[in-house]
Amino acid sequence: MTSLDIDRLGRRAEAMLDELAAISEEPDRLTRRFLTPEHKRAAHLVAQWMAEAGMATAEDALGTVRGHYAMAGEEAGANAVPRLLIGSHIDTVINAGKYDGMLGVVCGILAVEHFRDLGRQMPFAIDVLAFGDEEGVRFPTVLSSSAAVAGQFEPSWLEGKDRDGVSLRDAMQAYGLDTAGIPAAAISRDEALAYVEVHIEQGPVLEHADVPLGVVTSIAGQFRTRVTITGMAGHAGTVPMGLRQDALLAASEMMLAAEAIAKAHPEASMVATVGQIAVKPGAINVIPDRVEFVLDLRAAADAPRHKALDQFLRKAEALAGARGCAVAFETYHDCPTAACAPWLQDQLAAGAASLGFSPPRLVSGAGHDGQAMVGMTDFAMLFVRCERGISHNPLESATVPDMGAAVATLIRFIEGFRPPARP
């Protein structure tokens, strides 16, 4: 077992992340949405790095960049080769940090590069995957690219449109992708040995514990529900308060109700967030007659999450009725809780322990591509400490030593990787 220069690995990761962060739709902040020209530029850069690390590269019908590092004795063009999948995403939120998603892709590339430098191949292939639709920022879909790899893509998603009226189908065609190739993007269960992802924690637990790495036990389940309230517009100065059908005030009460429901389920680590709202007609002196917002509801278990959503829907209808408004709901994202495989957790922890780290086990409140991949194979995640737990923010930060520790742990994990026997 060769020694690993953790500082060098961390510096390499930082340099690659800086280069990726320079690819943005906006000059003064990092924004890279799915299937934009900037996404394509980032994908080409990642493919270049994969090739330089000794991988054969390809891009599937959903724009996922794939690097394949052949197993020992693998013949060119061989089918159904057993492979360990390592991945994350390269799309971002609006005004993002440079570590979310991208760190996992870079860690996978650097780990493969380590084995290429040694001239070493494993008894299994390694595929590094750079997904493109983890954030769900552009279209009313989430995890569509990883869902395609897992064979879970829903054809109806192709008709979903962004704010400019561009459908996912049209965006794919403009990007140069063929929708007819979506079924071929799936990796079979027989090929996939496991899926592993490295990601910043996006929370403060590791920093509070003063440890660089953590092993994830599960990813919280998530609903995204679009709520539309319809009232009656009127003059702000002439309609008495008791006679108004103010859609915004009804929406405000609904948001507070969502907060109260989440707080009532601390045992499920439940959280409720409204991060997007549209008010019409949007004039200073007109009572709002239409409000649309999206409720993001998450919990560490599915039963209380479903119960909470049902409670919210009933409460929202009552609040709308009390103000003479109508309300409609569209739950367009329902991602169940995804448990990380214990055998993979243990092997990740062993990889970290071989380097002198003792990673705690923790739940991920944020969603990740593993939620789609669990439908196809076992998965696990390695969390990396981030400063103050800040994420989805330009202040997002991870240190060079911590990133180096993550790459080194991934290398040790690969060296010791032993999938369970299959029936």
Side-chain angles (χ1 to χ4, degrees), residues 356-395:
F357 302 112
S358 299
R361 310 282 174 116
L362 67 166
V363 174
S364 173
H368 299 285
D369 288 296
Q371 288 173 289
M373 299 296 282
V374 74
M376 181 257 287
T377 190
D378 286 350
F379 88 102
M381 293 191 71
L382 182 72
F383 268 173
V384 183
R385 172 171 52 190
C386 57
E387 185 178 354
R388 291 182 287 165
I390 294 173
S391 185
H392 286 186
N393 185 313
L395 296 177

Side-chain angles (χ1 to χ4, degrees), residues 194-215:
Y195 171 75
V196 175
E197 183 168 354
V198 178
H199 205 285
I200 58 169
E201 181 195 350
Q202 300 181 283
V205 175
L206 295 178
E207 185 177 68
H208 182 73
D210 194 25
V211 292
L213 305 172
V215 174

Side-chain angles (χ1 to χ4, degrees), residues 232-307:
M232 178 66 70
H235 195 292
T238 61
V239 181
M241 295 301 292
L243 299 179
R244 297 186 176 202
Q245 295 168 266
D246 190 323
L248 180 57
L249 290 180
S252 300
E253 290 184 325
M254 293 175 196
M255 295 177 205
L256 290 172
E259 178 192 39
I261 290 169
K263 285 183 174 180
H265 293 84
E267 78 290 347
S269 301
M270 189 174 294
V271 290
T273 305
V274 174
Q276 186 179 81
I277 182 169
V279 181
K280 295 181 180 180
I284 294 172
N285 59 348
V286 179
I287 299 165
D289 67 346
R290 183 181 174 90
V291 174
E292 184 178 287
F293 68 86
V294 176
L295 172 66
D296 183 308
L297 181 67
R298 310 186 190 204
D302 287 330
R305 180 171 61 95
H306 283 270
K307 179 181 177 181

Side-chain angles (χ1 to χ4, degrees), residues 301-363:
D302 287 330
R305 180 171 61 95
H306 283 270
K307 179 181 177 181
L309 179 62
D310 185 60
Q311 289 176 325
F312 171 77
L313 299 181
R314 294 200 309 271
K315 183 66 174 177
E317 288 179 340
L319 291 169
R323 289 187 175 273
C325 298
V327 62
F329 310 100
E330 178 194 2
T331 298
Y332 62 89
H333 180 61
D334 177 3
C335 198
T337 301
C340 295
W343 68 273
L344 279 171
Q345 294 181 49
D346 292 343
Q347 291 191 28
L348 275 176
S354 72
L355 298 164
F357 302 112
S358 299
R361 310 282 174 116
L362 67 166
V363 174

